[in-house]
Amino acid sequence: MRHSMLRPLLLASVLALGTIIMTASAQSPEIAGPARADGTLLSVSAHAEASRVPDVASLSAGVVTRAADANAALRANAAQMARVMQAIRAAGVAERDIRTTGINVNPDYRYTENQPPTITGYQASNTVSLKVRDIGKLGDVLDALVASGANQVNGPSFEIDQPEAAYDEARRAALERAQARAEMYGKALGLRVRRIVSISEGGGFQPPMPIMGKAMAMDRMESTPVSPGETTLSASLDVVFELGR
């Protein structure tokens, strides 16, 4: 009988103790690592450039013709432009590097004081843009354009066909410059650079800027002289460092 009375009391005590242990475990907070409150953030902006000799030239060329009516102006333009296109291909410009950029037919007007404008004829124009990937032949291409009937030539502008290697060189130089500057600040403050917190390319890239260079030697003296110079590409970085002891 005595054992029968003690058994319920013992079971109740065990259940109460288990509840206390579970509650204490659920309410115990996680122990987090100590925050590095002694660190100092330093933001540095750095800019660097890389230069290359351009290997691609871009230009535009076209034909402008005039006639008494629009149809005649366009027909004459088509015939002359066909000779120009043939000369472009014969000069070695690939089909993928030739693109028509505009075909226009517009009236020509004569203006007289106190009189409405009078149409005196029509003007037709056809313009193409092209890339010359062998700059050594650029002078010959220009001569062939004019000789075949192109009466509008604009350019050239020079660029790098695959500029990423030059951009990466500028990025590395900018990063090294930022790191050196951070080391200088840290040394002046009696601190060291612990780590890089973030890197971003701030300000974008400047467009290629031509630099005057040495004129290219041409095989034939009668070719139009061309001087591609150098193209400068740049990179700007914003780097955040953590300094500490």
Side-chain angles (χ1 to χ4, degrees), residues 67-120:
D69 62 82
N71 191 32
L74 191 58
R75 285 201 311 269
N77 189 280
Q80 193 168 332
M81 193 64 190
R83 293 191 294 271
V84 171
M85 295 293 286
Q86 184 178 1
I88 292 173
R89 296 184 180 99
V93 180
E95 198 68 37
R96 65 188 177 99
D97 294 325
I98 307 170
R99 181 169 58 92
T100 299
T101 56
I103 299 175
N104 299 284
V105 178
N106 298 297
D108 284 330
Y109 291 98
R110 181 176 66 237
Y111 296 92
T112 305
E113 189 175 357
N114 298 324
Q115 296 293 328
T118 303
I119 295 177
T120 59

Side-chain angles (χ1 to χ4, degrees), residues 16 106 137 140 221 224 234 240:
N106 298 297
K137 296 181 178 179
D140 293 332
M221 293 301 295
T224 301
S234 65
V240 178

Side-chain angles (χ1 to χ4, degrees), residues 156-175:
S157 62
F158 297 100
E159 59 190 81
I160 301 171
D161 188 36
Q162 296 181 347
E164 277 305 311
Y167 277 133
D168 286 344
E169 179 181 328
R171 291 182 182 111
R172 284 191 294 269
L175 182 57

Side-chain angles (χ1 to χ4, degrees), residues 12-232:
S13 300
V14 169
L15 290 174
L17 180 61
T19 302
I20 293 172
I21 293 173
M22 290 177 63
T23 303
S25 176
Q27 292 178 350
S28 177
E30 294 184 1
I31 300 175
R36 306 186 72 173
D38 60 335
T40 299
L41 295 182
L42 171 67
S43 179
V44 175
S45 296
H47 178 88
E49 298 177 342
S51 297
R52 295 287 189 279
V53 175
D55 52 7
V56 175
S58 299
L59 65 149
S60 65
V63 171
V64 177
T65 53
R66 289 180 170 83
D69 62 82
N71 191 32
L74 191 58
R75 285 201 311 269
N77 189 280
Q80 193 168 332
M81 193 64 190
R83 293 191 294 271
V84 171
M85 295 293 286
Q86 184 178 1
I88 292 173
R89 296 184 180 99
V93 180
E95 198 68 37
R96 65 188 177 99
D97 294 325
I98 307 170
R99 181 169 58 92
T100 299
T101 56
I103 299 175
N104 299 284
V105 178
N106 298 297
D108 284 330
Y109 291 98
R110 181 176 66 237
Y111 296 92
T112 305
E113 189 175 357
N114 298 324
Q115 296 293 328
T118 303
I119 295 177
T120 59
Y122 288 84
Q123 171 183 290
S125 64
N126 189 333
T127 306
V128 295
S129 64
L130 54 144
K131 285 187 175 182
V132 180
R133 298 183 184 275
D134 185 353
I135 296 182
K137 296 181 178 179
L138 181 56
D140 293 332
V141 172
L142 292 169
D143 292 343
L145 287 171
V146 176
S148 62
N151 51 22
Q152 285 193 336
V153 178
N154 296 290
S157 62
F158 297 100
E159 59 190 81
I160 301 171
D161 188 36
Q162 296 181 347
E164 277 305 311
Y167 277 133
D168 286 344
E169 179 181 328
R171 291 182 182 111
R172 284 191 294 269
L175 182 57
E176 290 173 2
R177 190 167 295 176
Q179 288 176 315
R181 196 171 298 168
E183 294 285 353
M184 181 274 295
Y185 279 119
K187 186 176 181 180
L189 296 171
L191 304 174
R192 63 179 179 86
V193 177
R194 285 177 174 170
R195 64 189 177 105
I196 293 177
V197 178
S198 66
I199 302 175
S200 61
E201 293 185 349
F205 296 116
Q206 294 181 355
M209 300 295 292
I211 300 176
M212 293 303 296
K214 187 176 180 180
M216 297 171 51
M218 295 296 176
D219 293 335
R220 300 203 316 259
M221 293 301 295
E222 65 269 18
S223 296
T224 301
V226 177
S227 176
E230 285 187 335
T231 295
T232 298

